[in-house]
């Protein structure tokens, strides 16, 4: 079997697909990936064929900081032009990447072309979400999206999901159907339903991100797709960890960050007598005062590092949240966009850390959240939850893909 794995997003979107690719190859299957060019060198080094799609994403994160970016959001017409360009790029690139493949797996909600490409080729298509709140359900509201007008305060979940579907149709419907017509496919009147299918997969840990309706068999719950990491920590990082009590890890992943955020992070740790490790990330966070008790790091084995820190302070990406939970590390989540709000509330609900207010933290508010998270009972609860986190999600997904019908009832 030849499988195309496709996504448009940051490392948190790509790495789970790499985990799935590794499991598929263990089962003797051929795998190709279609992902942003930022990750081509990494995936090439793993021996997985990769077709890059779209521009480099890191450029957007390393441009003007959030603090200095223009405050005027793009107009509706500007967003539609961007949507048309995105759909055109996807139809061309995904179709080329999928040539000769027997099944297409698309992850993240902006995969507008993958199902149409699969339909034109006559091969199965699977949509996978990494967060339960991405998928429609009367048990939770849609995730907040930038640029969407606020819904009425009294609106229920069903109305909110209907509005969400309208937003997909308004943004992508015309472009999607124009390209479908160009390859002889009938138009669709529900873009979101078309992309998500009526049997989506949920690649989230059942403890951290459970599907809200246990009786719903339409959603196949695989568990999170976790890529094992055997890389050693650097000698410098090892020496820092050995030199004192467990530090606090701070990282914002691929998110933009305002100038001075690294200093706020370090100050919050010092206020509680803790050392700090700051991950530079795509925003190139770096402390500037040169004082001892702080270390700046680049790309690192989070699975190994998180087992040796006192707490993990991060933006709330699904991958970082899962890695910290798997390691038994208490967390402070500072959500910025989309599913990060969901993960912040799950961390709070499970009692394994704190949900900081969205946006840019102040030293005082971050210190308060970190103080709560460093309490002994939170650490005990985090270790308890860690024992329940599954590590076989990618294997379960790979086994389902190699079955005769990957979309069969669960």
């Amino acid at each position: 079997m030849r499988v195309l794995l496709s996504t448009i997003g940051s490392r948190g979107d790509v790495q789970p697909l790499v985990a799935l690719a590794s499991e598929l190859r263990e089962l003797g299957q051929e795998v190709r990936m279609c992902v942003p060019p930022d990750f081509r060198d990494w995936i090439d080094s793993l021996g997985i064929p990769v077709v890059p799609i779209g521009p480099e994403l890191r450029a957007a994160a390393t441009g003007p900081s959030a603090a200095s970016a223009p405050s005027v959001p793009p107009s509706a017409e500007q967003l539609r032009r961007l949507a048309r360009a995105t759909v055109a790029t996807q139809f061309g690139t995904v179709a080329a990447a999928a040539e000769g493949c027997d099944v297409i797996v698309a992850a993240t909600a902006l995969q507008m072309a993958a199902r149409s490409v699969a339909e034109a080729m006559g091969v199965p298509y699977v949509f996978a979400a990494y967060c339960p709140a991405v998928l429609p359900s009367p048990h939770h509201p849609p995730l907040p999206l930038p640029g969407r007008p606020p819904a009425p305060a009294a609106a229920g979940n069903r109305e909110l999901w209907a509005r969400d579907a309208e937003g997909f149709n308004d943004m992508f419907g015309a472009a999607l159907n124009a390209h479908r017509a160009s390859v002889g496919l009938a138009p669709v009147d529900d873009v979101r339903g078309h992309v998500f299918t009526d049997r989506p997969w949920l690649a989230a840990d059942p403890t951290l991100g459970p599907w809200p309706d246990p009786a719903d068999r339409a959603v196949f719950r695989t568990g999170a797709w976790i890529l094992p990491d055997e890389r050693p920590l650097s000698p410098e990082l090892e020496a820092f960890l050995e030199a004192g009590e467990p530090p606090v890890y701070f990282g914002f992943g691929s998110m933009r960050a305002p100038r001075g955020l690294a200093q706020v992070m370090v100050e919050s740790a010092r206020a509680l007598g803790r050392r700090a490790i700051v991950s530079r990330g795509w925003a190139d966070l770096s402390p500037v005062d040169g004082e001892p008790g702080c270390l700046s790091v680049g790309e690192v084995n989070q699975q190994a590092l998180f087992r040796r820190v006192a707490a993990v302070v991060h933006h709330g990406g699904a991958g970082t949240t899962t890695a910290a939970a798997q390691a038994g590390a208490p967390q402070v989540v500072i959500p910025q966009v989309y599913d990060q709000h969901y993960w912040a509330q799950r961390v709070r609900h499970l009692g394994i850390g704190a949900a900081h207010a969205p946006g840019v933290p102040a030293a005082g508010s971050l210190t308060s959240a970190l103080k709560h998270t460093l309490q002994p009972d939170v650490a005990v609860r985090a270790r308890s939850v860690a024992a329940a986190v599954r590590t076989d999600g990618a294997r379960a997904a790979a086994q389902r893909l190699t079955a005769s019908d990957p979309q069969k009832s669960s």
Side-chain angles (χ1 to χ4, degrees):
M1 174 184 286
R2 289 160 293 186
V3 183
L4 176 67
L5 306 178
S6 178
T7 192
I8 300 172
S10 64
R11 178 148 185 154
D13 300 306
V14 174
Q15 185 158 313
L17 283 183
V18 175
L20 178 57
S22 298
E23 292 290 350
L24 285 166
R25 294 204 299 176
E26 284 289 324
L27 295 176
Q29 312 304 318
E30 296 182 31
V31 182
R32 186 180 304 156
M33 299 190 69
C34 184
V35 300
D38 309 70
F39 310 102
R40 182 171 191 169
D41 290 345
W42 171 42
I43 296 173
D44 275 340
S45 73
L46 300 175
I48 302 172
V50 58
V51 176
I53 184 168
E56 288 195 357
L57 299 179
R58 184 162 185 164
T62 55
S65 73
S68 60
S71 59
V72 179
S75 68
E77 182 52 37
Q78 288 173 322
L79 288 173
R80 289 190 186 94
R81 284 201 299 269
L82 179 61
R84 288 195 293 270
T86 296
V87 171
T89 297
Q90 289 185 39
F91 265 88
T93 306
V94 175
E99 186 175 351
C101 289
D102 302 300
V103 61
I104 297 175
V105 179
T108 67
L110 295 181
Q111 292 281 283
M112 293 296 132
R115 186 175 184 182
S116 297
V117 170
E119 188 177 341
M121 293 174 59
V123 301
Y125 162 84
V126 172
F127 173 78
Y130 300 145
C131 172
V134 169
L135 302 175
S137 169
H139 300 285
H140 57 235
L143 292 166
L145 287 173
R148 291 275 179 91
N157 288 341
R158 294 183 188 277
E159 180 181 347
L160 293 174
W161 280 110
R163 288 173 172 265
D164 182 73
E166 291 172 1
F168 270 86
N169 288 342
D170 183 57
M171 187 64 62
F172 297 105
L176 172 62
N177 283 327
H179 282 277
R180 284 178 61 84
S182 72
V183 294
L185 298 176
V188 298
D189 57 11
D190 176 7
V191 172
R192 188 193 65 203
H194 168 77
V195 171
F196 289 8
T197 79
D198 59 358
R199 293 194 178 278
W201 291 14
L202 175 58
D205 183 77
T207 297
L208 291 177
W211 184 242
D213 183 0
D216 181 0
R217 309 311 298 172
V219 177
F220 176 49
R221 283 91 84 181
T222 67
W225 299 347
I226 299 172
L227 180 67
D229 196 339
E230 303 298 332
R231 294 174 298 167
L233 301 178
S234 70
E236 180 186 27
L237 180 51
E238 283 283 2
F240 183 82
L241 291 167
E242 293 293 335
E245 294 296 316
V248 176
Y249 170 95
F250 297 89
F252 246 38
S254 59
M255 301 303 300
R256 283 189 175 194
R259 190 173 294 110
L261 176 60
Q263 194 60 34
V264 168
M265 291 173 165
V266 173
E267 288 176 8
S268 69
R270 287 177 177 161
L272 299 172
R274 296 283 181 164
R275 301 183 302 150
I277 294 173
V278 177
S279 173
R280 288 188 287 272
W282 282 11
D284 199 25
L285 297 176
S286 183
V288 295
D289 63 9
E291 292 293 323
C294 179
L295 181 67
S296 178
V297 298
E299 172 61 29
V300 69
N301 180 344
Q302 291 185 341
Q303 294 170 15
L305 177 58
F306 287 0
R307 291 194 292 267
R308 300 174 64 181
V309 300
V312 175
V313 180
H314 62 101
H315 60 298
T320 307
T321 304
T322 303
Q326 183 186 14
Q331 308 182 45
V332 176
V333 181
I334 312 168
Q336 304 298 301
V337 296
Y338 202 50
D339 64 334
Q340 297 166 12
H341 302 283
Y342 171 87
W343 295 116
Q345 293 308 313
R346 286 300 299 167
V347 164
R348 180 194 62 77
H349 176 78
L350 288 168
I352 59 175
H356 190 282
V360 181
S365 63
L366 187 52
T367 299
S368 178
L370 186 55
K371 182 177 181 180
H372 164 79
T373 298
L374 291 171
Q375 296 302 309
D377 61 319
V378 178
V380 169
R381 179 62 182 159
R383 290 192 293 271
S384 174
V385 168
V389 175
R390 289 175 46 186
T391 59
D392 63 344
R395 172 54 64 98
Q399 290 173 338
R400 174 60 68 91
L401 274 177
T402 56
S404 58
D405 181 2
Q407 289 289 47
K408 67 183 178 181
S409 298
S410 302

